Amino acid sequence: MQIANILQSIWFWILLIIIGVLIRDIFIQKSHTITHNFPLVGHFRYWLEQIGPELRQYIVANNREELPFNRQERSWIYASSKNENNLQGFGTDQDFNTPGYIFIKNAMMGYNPPANHSSKKNPGIIPANKVIGLYHKRKRPYRPYSVVNISGMSYGSLSAKAIEALNKGAKIAGCFHNTGEGSLSPYHQFGADVVLNIGTAYFGVRELDGTFSMKKLIQKVEENPQLRAIELKLSQGAKPGKGGMLPASKINQEIAAIRNIPMGKDAMSPAFHAQFTNVSEMVDFIEAMANETGIPVGIKSAIGKLEQWEELAAHMAKTGKGPDFITIDGGEGGTGAAPHAFADHVSMPFTFAFAKIYQIFQRHDLTDKIYFIASGKLGFPEKALLAFAMGADSVNIARESMMSIGCIQAQKCHTNHCPTGIATSNKWLQSGIDVTLKSERFYRYHHTLVKEIGEITHACGYEHPSQMNMDDIELSMGDNNRTMTLAKAYGYHKTTIPYENFNTLIACPYLGGQDARNRLEIMAD
């Protein structure tokens, strides 16, 4: 009898809720035509739409369909980061006739490292072939310990635990960690080399009114010896010419102190810099920061019009002054939030952008003097080697790094509801991140990526990826049974950079990654 009464009571409340929804849909709400015309059942349309991305990601799409990263790419990162089997059985499932498909040309007899080669001790280490800041005689030149490094991602855009995990992983791997324009936070300070990113809002090196403070920059560099270079951000691939905004609701006391911004107000990043308005003024600003801090200063930019790049190259060739490195960010690069039109249509993708900029500086005889960093979905061996063959000295990776510590490409970065706790300030969601475990996973992914870059380099007959050239890679021209070398496709051959041997790089007095080097020496002993 009691059970029957309970069931009657449940059905009564269900019926009451249904009647209430019907009344609301037909007579009260005015914003949704579907639920007005199809009360109650119309809600299923919105529920299905809400979970549509998940349905497509896990059920509908095949292994090679999704963007920005397909399931095959994500699976390789996940398996590499967990030290699991990342191999492929039965042969490739790729369509070799896809336009732009990358073919790396192996040598008949490759390079076989001797028994005492550094790659035998740790195949996950390849130092850069160039030294940043040496040509301009900076006080503290810098040779990155790794040709693969972490691209700019700010604390605030990423959670504290995510930044900490990446920095601790970078310390083990020996790569540098770019702060993003949110400035240096406590979570960037666990031992890895750090590149300080300075954007249009000058976060962390500004007065409260937003003006740049050289005094604060000098103080930050002096107090943090792990800062090895400064990156002046002109724009980024996902939203060039568009300023950012961190809403007041996400700004706590810690973020306000780090960025030197007031509480209770949205933190606005202007679209453009206030410290300079032309190429000459920008170079003067770069030189001032380099002279005052002693560390190399470079620029980061997405690529569109080329006139000002021509002007910059000519100015540098004439004066001997300018950026020590240039980070070229492809239009396919990532961001926490960007308008669709900016993300989809403004700025060139990496290969076109890099080819055009490299040739400009090559015509002015500067490509052997500037350090080139490539960025834009390059966290895979074949794509990184494409960048090296085109003239890049190292690659920066962002979203691939996030995936190595648990990102599932939910694409909720702009909502503050990232389910993995990586791109959110929500404390509960962050609590699922085990920093020790995730830092090890980033290290494993980085180690595997660098190791495979080295192995393919050796298969091509070289010791170092900087020796790759534009004739070593061919691109498919589609289903017409034709391929084309990078040199022919983009119309140039990269400048040959002198290379002695691996041991010379390791012995360099400007080499970074001190903690990783110490760890390797201890393991060797």
Side-chain angles (χ1 to χ4, degrees):
M1 189 67 179
Q2 283 184 336
I3 295 174
N5 289 338
I6 291 171
L7 290 173
Q8 285 179 353
S9 177
I10 291 172
W11 282 112
F12 170 77
W13 283 108
I14 291 174
L15 183 62
L16 194 64
I17 290 170
I18 290 173
I19 293 170
V21 172
L22 289 170
I23 293 171
R24 174 196 172 275
D25 287 349
I26 298 172
F27 299 107
I28 299 175
Q29 72 87 25
K30 303 293 183 183
S31 56
H32 297 293
T33 305
I34 293 293
T35 51
H36 175 274
N37 295 344
F38 303 93
L40 194 64
V41 295
H43 288 279
F44 286 99
R45 183 262 179 196
Y46 295 105
W47 293 335
L48 287 172
E49 183 182 50
Q50 192 171 19
I51 64 172
E54 287 78 9
L55 291 174
R56 290 189 292 274
Q57 183 175 11
Y58 294 110
I59 299 174
V60 179
N62 68 34
N63 285 351
R64 303 284 186 183
E65 268 185 349
E66 295 171 89
L67 292 173
F69 296 92
N70 63 47
R71 186 179 294 126
Q72 193 77 11
E73 291 171 328
R74 299 198 310 274
S75 296
W76 182 82
I77 293 173
Y78 297 148
S80 299
S81 67
K82 296 173 184 176
N83 204 27
E84 295 176 351
N85 186 346
N86 65 357
L87 304 178
Q88 183 172 316
F90 205 65
T92 182
D93 61 357
Q94 293 274 32
D95 180 5
F96 284 5
N97 290 322
T98 303
Y101 189 87
I102 298 170
F103 296 102
I104 301 172
K105 296 156 71 172
N106 62 293
M108 184 179 184
M109 298 179 187
Y111 171 78
N112 186 17
N116 63 346
H117 196 271
S118 296
S119 65
K120 299 287 187 180
K121 300 176 185 176
N122 186 353
I125 291 298
I126 301 178
N129 188 30
K130 278 186 196 166
V131 178
I132 305 174
L134 195 61
Y135 173 71
H136 289 132
K137 297 181 174 59
R138 307 304 186 198
K139 295 175 186 174
R140 291 174 55 197
Y142 175 51
R143 185 193 297 273
Y145 190 53
S146 175
V147 292
V148 178
N149 300 285
I150 301 176
S151 193
M153 294 180 284
S154 304
Y155 168 52
S157 178
L158 264 58
S159 67
K161 285 193 172 184
I163 295 289
E164 181 179 345
L166 289 173
N167 193 264
K168 288 182 174 179
K171 174 183 177 180
I172 304 170
C175 66
F176 69 68
H177 187 182
N178 190 304
T179 65
E181 65 175 307
S183 194
L184 183 71
S185 74
Y187 311 104
H188 289 100
Q189 300 180 52
F190 288 93
D193 291 348
V194 174
V195 172
L196 177 66
N197 184 297
I198 299 177
T200 56
Y202 309 114
F203 291 133
V205 290
R206 57 178 262 164
E207 305 296 346
L208 278 175
D209 63 1
T211 56
F212 173 76
S213 171
M214 183 66 78
K215 180 180 178 182
K216 290 183 183 296
L217 175 61
I218 295 169
Q219 181 181 1
K220 194 174 290 291
V221 173
E222 288 178 346
E223 292 176 353
N224 298 279
Q226 76 273 24
L227 288 179
R228 302 303 303 267
I230 296 168
E231 182 179 74
L232 183 64
K233 177 184 167 185
L234 305 180
S235 61
Q236 69 183 85
K239 49 181 179 183
K242 175 71 175 175
M245 190 270 285
L246 187 67
S249 60
K250 292 185 71 174
I251 299 174
N252 55 31
Q253 290 285 356
E254 184 179 40
I255 291 175
I258 291 168
R259 300 193 179 199
N260 201 29
I261 55 177
M263 288 286 294
K265 293 183 180 179
D266 295 340
M268 306 297 295
S269 294
F272 309 106
H273 281 270
Q275 286 297 115
F276 51 87
T277 58
N278 57 48
V279 167
S280 179
E281 291 176 357
M282 181 184 74
V283 170
D284 289 343
F285 184 50
I286 288 170
E287 290 295 323
M289 289 193 291
N291 291 334
E292 292 291 342
T293 63
I295 60 178
V297 179
I299 57 176
K300 173 183 178 177
S301 184
I303 308 303
K305 295 182 178 181
L306 302 176
E307 294 85 353
Q308 289 173 321
W309 289 99
E310 293 275 7
E311 185 182 349
L312 174 61
H315 185 87
M316 291 178 65
K318 180 180 178 181
T319 65
K321 299 177 180 179
D324 299 294
F325 65 92
I326 298 176
T327 302
I328 298 174
D329 199 20
E332 64 271 59
T335 180
H340 283 290
F342 274 89
D344 296 343
H345 298 287
V346 182
S347 84
M348 289 186 279
F350 167 74
T351 51
F352 300 117
F354 191 93
K356 290 179 182 295
I357 296 303
Y358 189 89
Q359 289 177 80
I360 289 173
F361 285 90
Q362 190 176 54
R363 286 195 293 271
H364 291 273
D365 195 28
L366 291 169
T367 44
D368 60 334
K369 303 169 181 66
I370 302 170
Y371 188 100
F372 288 94
I373 300 176
S375 179
K377 292 179 67 175
L378 300 175
F380 303 92
E382 73 285 356
K383 293 182 180 179
L385 283 163
L386 173 77
F388 293 129
M390 293 180 71
D393 297 295
S394 63
V395 298
N396 279 1
I397 53 175
R399 288 169 293 177
E400 300 92 324
S401 302
M402 292 167 61
M403 288 181 194
S404 74
I405 63 170
C407 169
I408 60 171
Q409 194 172 275
Q411 296 178 287
K412 301 289 185 183
C413 316
H414 59 297
T415 67
N416 201 33
H417 296 134
C418 170
T420 63
I422 292 170
T424 178
S425 60
N426 184 292
K427 295 293 185 183
W428 168 251
L429 294 172
Q430 288 186 54
S431 65
I433 298 177
D434 183 319
V435 171
T436 303
L437 174 65
K438 299 301 186 183
S439 63
E440 181 68 22
R441 286 190 176 175
F442 169 77
Y443 163 69
R444 285 291 173 193
Y445 159 66
H446 181 277
H447 178 92
T448 303
L449 173 58
V450 174
K451 177 175 74 71
E452 294 197 11
I453 289 172
E455 288 172 346
I456 298 174
T457 299
H458 297 165
C460 294
Y462 304 121
E463 183 180 23
H464 193 277
S466 67
Q467 296 173 280
M468 296 285 293
N469 64 64
M470 300 283 278
D471 289 325
D472 290 322
I473 294 181
E474 297 199 8
L475 304 176
S476 170
M477 294 292 103
D479 58 359
N480 56 5
N481 295 319
R482 291 186 61 213
T483 62
M484 186 178 292
T485 64
L486 289 177
K488 190 171 181 180
Y490 295 108
Y492 75 98
H493 285 276
K494 79 170 192 180
T495 304
T496 300
I497 306 301
Y499 174 77
E500 292 185 38
N501 56 57
F502 213 84
N503 290 336
T504 303
L505 306 184
I506 294 293
C508 176
Y510 310 121
L511 188 63
Q514 186 62 55
D515 285 280
R517 289 154 54 197
N518 293 342
R519 182 171 175 267
L520 187 61
E521 289 172 5
I522 292 171
M523 290 171 61
D525 292 342

